[in-house]
Amino acid sequence: MTDFYDDLETRSSDRREAEQFAALPAHLHHAKDAAPYFRQMLAGIDPASIHDRNALATLPVTRKSDLIALQQAHPPFGGLAAVEIGRLARVFASPGPIHDPEPHGVDPWRSARALFAAGFRAGDLAHNCFAYHLTPAGSMFETGAHALGCAVIPAGTGNTEMQAQVVASLKPRGYIGTPDFLKIILEKGDALGLDVSSIRIAAVSGGPYLPDARAFYEARGLDVYQSYGTADLGIVAYETPARSGLVVNEGCIVEIVRPGTGDPVPDGEVGEVVVTIFNPAYPLIRFGTGDLSAVLPGASPCGRTNMRLKGWMGRADQTTKVKGMFVHPSQVAEVLRRHPQIARARLVVGRQDASDTMTLRCEAEESGEGLAAAIRETLASVTKLKGAVEFVAPASLPNDGKVIDDTRG
């Protein structure tokens, strides 16, 4: 068996960056021409000028949290789709509701690479336990399995006893689904006295792959690999046999930005995952997932050369209410923009004497009451709320992506 899906996975980082950003201007031009939302977003912007990461970072971020309102105002896809609805292969309705389009073509959600890294090969039979009704995960992985040449049992969710019986009868080599459901099927098979040992590999997503589940599968000799994606983007990154972070999928440009902003953070710092995909039917550009992660340094020991992510590290939307008013991460970012002396900051929301409190903890090389007073004034101007300012040592704030820390319990 070959180690890689294709040569794109092992091209040099410089070559990948050059080729992706050479293709990006035409993709932006297409989005601007065919999708009303991007026509407005990119108005006055020459797509040819977006030729590197610094230029890309000047474009606005469209966040997943915006989609419900956008789609309600401009159904069905908020103006983000570049084709008419009848030209799509499938249309899904995820909770929200959010409508997700699937285009025609081979492996439209880019799941084949994740399945290949997990050990799936042509001729395998895969037991796909992602939902097939309304939400896209079932189709997302089935199309990738078909691209590899695998046959698929469209098992879906629920009906555990029948799932175990089907595994015992058809003997699939691979499982596709959430991390926990495979354990449930295997334990049900054991309880019924069925032979469910045919499953040797698994590709899991859609939930945290916790240590107890990992230990259970390892004890049974199963190779289980996780991937990260969304219903809008498809598969963004996936685990490889190196077991060293998640390798970013080819066809994606991933940025990690400070929550509430579009500003990229240094490698290693936790921030929001923002993704640009080369999908001509749904050309999402700087799409903010609302998920937190960080870039791991260097390339994967498996030989794949693309950027690596640490994995899912929480949610980026830390909006909270203080004294009846919403405070957003973008407001904290605005305070930092007005005071470049601050390297990083965290707004700690607490409770004292039956009243809400705010303290902006600032990493800064310099301090003093004059600067503190200026920051307090800016904080009040931006949030319409009074707060204290506390200076802390550089690099002392936790690297967990939190911009607002609500400690009120």
Side-chain angles (χ1 to χ4, degrees):
M1 294 191 297
T2 58
D3 293 329
F4 307 108
Y5 183 74
D6 60 22
D7 292 341
L8 294 179
E9 294 181 348
T10 56
R11 56 185 164 168
S12 72
S13 298
D14 289 344
R15 179 185 162 197
R16 176 181 293 106
E17 196 85 348
E19 290 176 348
Q20 288 187 330
F21 280 94
L24 185 59
H27 184 63
L28 296 177
H29 182 80
H30 164 70
K32 187 175 181 179
D33 183 61
Y37 174 85
F38 292 112
R39 186 177 307 127
Q40 180 177 0
M41 189 187 93
L42 298 172
I45 295 173
D46 179 7
S49 68
I50 310 301
H51 49 70
D52 60 22
R53 286 184 178 269
N54 290 335
L56 180 62
T58 66
L59 300 181
V61 172
T62 300
R63 289 191 157 81
K64 185 179 179 75
S65 57
D66 300 331
L67 287 185
I68 294 175
L70 285 170
Q71 292 188 356
Q72 288 175 344
H74 304 284
F77 302 117
L80 281 76
V83 298
E84 295 177 0
I85 192 168
R87 294 177 58 195
L88 295 165
R90 295 180 179 88
V91 179
F92 299 98
S94 296
I98 295 175
H99 303 130
D100 300 303
E102 179 186 297
H104 291 278
V106 176
D107 192 26
W109 302 96
R110 302 174 315 283
S111 67
R113 292 183 190 279
L115 293 172
F116 187 92
F120 288 79
R121 296 294 185 270
D124 283 340
L125 177 62
H127 192 74
N128 185 5
C129 289
F130 278 118
Y132 276 78
H133 299 119
L134 292 180
T135 56
S139 179
M140 187 181 295
F141 281 92
E142 179 174 287
T143 50
H146 286 165
L148 289 178
C150 301
V152 176
I153 302 169
T157 58
N159 206 344
T160 311
E161 183 170 328
M162 188 174 182
Q163 298 264 11
Q165 291 170 346
V166 168
V167 170
S169 174
L170 294 178
K171 302 192 182 307
R173 178 172 174 264
Y175 164 90
I176 300 169
T178 59
D180 294 338
F181 194 51
L182 173 58
K183 182 173 183 288
I184 293 171
I185 292 173
L186 295 177
E187 289 178 332
K188 176 61 72 172
D190 293 344
L192 295 173
L194 298 172
D195 181 3
V196 290
S197 63
S198 64
I199 294 179
R200 309 311 306 155
I201 58 174
V204 300
S205 192
Y209 184 22
L210 298 175
D212 61 336
R214 191 182 292 270
F216 174 86
Y217 298 133
E218 289 176 352
R220 294 181 75 118
L222 274 65
D223 287 328
V224 180
Y225 294 85
Q226 60 183 320
S227 60
Y228 164 70
T230 76
D232 327 272
L233 296 161
I235 302 303
V236 174
Y238 56 91
E239 192 175 20
T240 77
R243 305 287 188 184
S244 182
L246 304 182
V247 174
V248 170
N249 210 340
E250 305 296 327
C252 298
I253 299 174
V254 171
E255 304 167 89
I256 305 296
V257 308
R258 187 160 287 111
T261 78
D263 304 332
V265 299
D267 285 357
E269 185 172 327
V270 177
E272 182 181 6
V273 180
V274 169
V275 185
T276 298
I277 56 171
F278 291 86
N279 179 348
Y282 201 44
L284 297 180
I285 298 159
R286 298 206 85 202
F287 185 78
T289 63
D291 294 322
L292 294 173
S293 192
V295 173
L296 286 171
S300 172
C302 73
R304 292 171 179 84
T305 56
N306 209 345
M307 174 192 294
R308 291 182 299 154
L309 303 180
K310 286 186 177 180
W312 186 83
M313 301 177 70
R315 293 291 295 169
D317 186 4
Q318 300 151 29
T319 297
T320 191
K321 196 175 266 191
V322 180
K323 296 182 179 178
M325 296 184 65
F326 283 109
V327 180
H328 304 273
S330 58
Q331 292 173 306
V332 178
E334 178 60 25
V335 175
L336 268 66
R337 266 193 282 269
R338 297 189 191 184
H339 297 278
Q341 306 97 322
I342 306 173
R344 295 170 65 219
R346 171 179 297 208
L347 186 68
V348 180
V349 179
R351 190 86 173 159
Q352 184 176 359
D353 299 328
S355 181
D356 293 337
T357 63
M358 295 195 317
T359 301
L360 188 66
R361 292 180 178 164
C362 305
E363 289 183 5
E365 294 288 350
E366 59 181 275
S367 59
E369 180 52 32
L371 179 58
I375 296 171
R376 284 196 298 270
E377 183 177 347
T378 301
L379 181 64
S381 174
V382 170
T383 66
K384 313 305 179 190
L385 294 162
K386 291 183 179 180
V389 171
E390 176 186 325
F391 293 108
V392 298
S396 63
L397 292 175
N399 181 23
D400 56 9
K402 279 191 177 181
V403 175
I404 298 175
D405 185 11
D406 193 339
T407 65
R408 290 172 294 186

